[in-house]
Amino acid sequence: MTGKIESRLAELGVTLTEAPAPAANYVPYVQSGNLVFISGQISQGPDGLITGKLGADVSLDDGAAAARSCAISLLAQLKAACGGDLDRMTRVVKLTGFVNSTPDFTDQPKVINGASDFLVEALGDAGRHSRSAVSAGALPFNVAVEIEGIFEIA
């Protein structure tokens, strides 16, 4: 049976895939008490990785879409951490977003809004969170965005 959160995602046209496997020597998430710390999720879509540099070859809108894809991957990891029951999530606590950008690009918050806006749209008030949005001169595999998250679960 599909839970409340996954039903809402379906209304938004989002189906969670299997949680992406780690690309190096780390675990995808760690639970400590009622908090789940999810490792950085990189921007990817149905056609593969979303790559490029904001301020050079990636538009602000495409960057926000890349951030949204990271938020979807965060929820897939959270679902795995919750044993398949995404409704155990009680709130998004914090996101840290990294934007592959040129030195003169200053709209990192607008890029990471792609993730923040999606989580609020999908989760309502439980999706509201604290956040950092920072520039990176390069990201793994030349992805446009990477986002890590902290979630509270019941």
Side-chain angles (χ1 to χ4, degrees), residues 14 16 21 26 32 34 39 41 60 73 84 94-95 108 114 125 142 151:
V14 174
L16 297 181
Y26 63 90
S32 180
N34 64 340
S39 296
Q41 300 297 297
L60 186 58
S73 292
K94 182 171 184 187
L95 298 182
Q108 290 81 6
D125 283 340
N142 193 39
F151 295 80

Side-chain angles (χ1 to χ4, degrees), residues 36-150:
V36 177
F37 298 78
I38 300 178
S39 296
Q41 300 297 297
I42 58 177
S43 52
Q44 56 189 329
D47 298 325
L49 297 177
I50 302 169
T51 60
K53 192 172 286 285
L54 278 288
D57 56 354
V58 177
S59 72
L60 186 58
D61 287 344
D62 288 344
R68 182 182 188 273
S69 79
C70 294
I72 293 169
S73 292
L74 285 168
L75 291 180
Q77 290 292 0
L78 183 62
K79 180 179 177 181
C82 291
D85 183 6
L86 199 51
D87 286 346
R88 289 183 56 203
M89 195 268 327
T90 57
R91 78 166 300 130
V92 182
V93 176
K94 182 171 184 187
L95 298 182
T96 303
F98 303 92
V99 180
N100 185 358
S101 55
T102 60
D104 60 339
F105 183 81
T106 59
D107 283 332
Q108 290 81 6
K110 291 179 182 175
V111 172
I112 302 304
N113 279 346
S116 297
D117 293 347
F118 169 75
L119 289 171
V120 171
E121 182 180 19
L123 305 171
D125 283 340
R128 297 193 185 282
H129 52 272
S130 64
R131 186 182 88 177
S132 298
V134 298
S135 178
L139 288 173
F141 311 110
N142 193 39
V143 295
V145 179
E146 180 174 354
I147 302 176
E148 64 182 23
I150 302 170

